[in-house]
Amino acid sequence: MQKPQLLVPVMATPNGTLVHPAYFLLVGIPGLGPDIHFWLAFPLCFMYAMATLGNLAIVLIIRVERRLHEPMYLFLAMLSTIDLVLSSVTMPKMASLFLTGIQEIGFNVCLAQMFLIHALSAMESAVLLAMAFDRFVAICHPLRHASVLTGPTVAKIGLAALTRGFVFFFPLPFILKRLSYCQTHMVTHSFCLHQDIMKLSCSDTRVNVVYGLFIILSVMGVDSLFIGFSYILILKTVLELASQGAALKAFNTCISHLCAVLVFYVPLIGLSVVHRLGGPTSLLHVIMANIYLLLPPVVNPVVYGAKTKEIRSRVLHMFSQGGRKCVDSEVWF
């Protein structure tokens, strides 16, 4: 089958003809041959299965168990839903690239994937901030928790997170489409990111650089500052508790959220710093990007499943019920 023409003239502009590629080529992991990529596809598929089953289990458990319809668990269900979609946007395409070696991804498909990755990451950041606020109110103002974080308020926070992620990142595909691409068309990751697509352009990218920096600071930057401020106040309140046991019990409710925050923000900050330093994309860029996108959907269900008593007991109950049914069926036959 003949490949489509690589460079497609789109429209004439005052600065010349706007040229878009028909497709980009995904590199995968630079420096690794096809054989290593092929074998890496299997642990990647295992990670995708873990992310899908783990996050789906959390969403369904919280949906079924009425006693889990509390702000902390409702925010957790939002986080798991975002992780479920994010892993489905990135991992299947990566697995296909590693298994088959087919590198092509359509220009518009690449832009759509890029938008979803960045928008979903912004939504996840907002939900992590909401979870930090929930812990702050629960520990610092426990008597006001039920009146502050009501069901409608939680729903409005979730809608605000969804809207903000969509609104801030919706312009990205359009400001990338205004660029002309006449250099190499090799995307140096296994998925499409704004910074990498922008670097492939031979047009003036100042608008992309300024807007990209603006949204990363005003979205993830502001969220991380408020999360940090929340934990400073939480730590201050915990240290003022008279009983050491009460202090440990209060702070223990934050451990799962702290792990989720670190897993999300540490690779994000590292990736942002590495990209801002400029220069050609290195193996470090790729590793940081893979950790940033692949790790949270896999780790979050494990952390919350292990640390949250209600979810852990429900999962164990489901397995025990399944085992009992198997034993009953063996006895019947």
Side-chain angles (χ1 to χ4, degrees), residues 24-223:
F24 288 116
L25 298 174
L26 300 173
V27 171
I29 301 177
L32 300 184
D35 292 340
I36 300 178
H37 273 115
F38 178 81
W39 290 109
L40 284 176
F42 295 99
L44 182 63
C45 291
F46 177 71
M47 289 174 65
Y48 180 54
M50 279 188 63
T52 302
L53 294 174
N55 287 296
L56 193 59
I58 287 178
V59 172
L60 292 177
I61 288 171
I62 294 173
R63 173 71 179 85
V64 171
E65 289 286 338
R66 294 190 63 84
R67 61 194 175 97
L68 297 182
H69 291 183
E70 298 176 7
M72 180 174 71
Y73 300 111
L74 294 176
F75 287 135
L76 176 57
M78 295 178 196
L79 185 70
S80 294
T81 303
I82 293 168
D83 282 340
L84 193 61
V85 178
L86 184 59
S87 60
S88 298
V89 168
T90 54
M91 292 188 188
K93 179 59 183 175
M94 283 185 66
S96 173
L97 168 65
F98 290 176
L99 280 171
T100 65
I102 298 175
Q103 297 177 287
E104 292 87 355
I105 181 170
F107 179 72
N108 290 322
V109 175
C110 186
L111 295 185
Q113 186 192 53
M114 178 272 305
F115 164 72
L116 288 172
I117 287 173
H118 290 299
L120 289 166
S121 297
M123 294 174 199
E124 182 155 350
S125 178
V127 172
L128 288 173
L129 174 59
M131 296 172 85
F133 179 67
D134 169 69
R135 291 298 84 207
F136 162 72
V137 177
I139 294 173
C140 300
H141 305 283
L143 298 179
R144 298 177 58 190
H145 185 261
S147 60
V148 172
L149 285 167
T150 61
T153 302
V154 171
K156 289 175 183 177
I157 291 173
L159 183 60
L162 180 69
T163 304
R164 190 190 66 163
F166 181 83
V167 169
F168 270 84
F169 290 91
F170 185 71
L172 285 186
F174 298 99
I175 62 176
L176 285 171
K177 278 196 167 188
R178 56 176 281 278
L179 302 177
S180 192
Y181 300 86
C182 49
Q183 299 179 14
T184 177
H185 300 94
M186 302 287 288
V187 178
T188 51
H189 288 86
S190 307
F191 33 77
C192 297
L193 297 175
H194 175 250
Q195 302 95 321
D196 294 312
I197 302 174
M198 178 184 67
K199 287 180 180 179
L200 301 178
S201 171
C202 52
S203 305
D204 185 0
T205 59
R206 279 178 294 183
V207 172
N208 299 71
V209 172
V210 171
Y211 187 71
L213 186 60
F214 165 72
I215 55 179
I216 198 72
L217 291 177
S218 59
V219 176
M220 278 75 164
V222 170
D223 289 352

Side-chain angles (χ1 to χ4, degrees), residues 30 189 270-271 274 277 280-291:
H189 288 86
L271 183 63
V274 171
L277 291 176
T281 302
S282 64
L283 183 61
L284 180 61
H285 289 72
V286 178
I287 292 174
M288 292 297 291
N290 286 336
I291 292 173

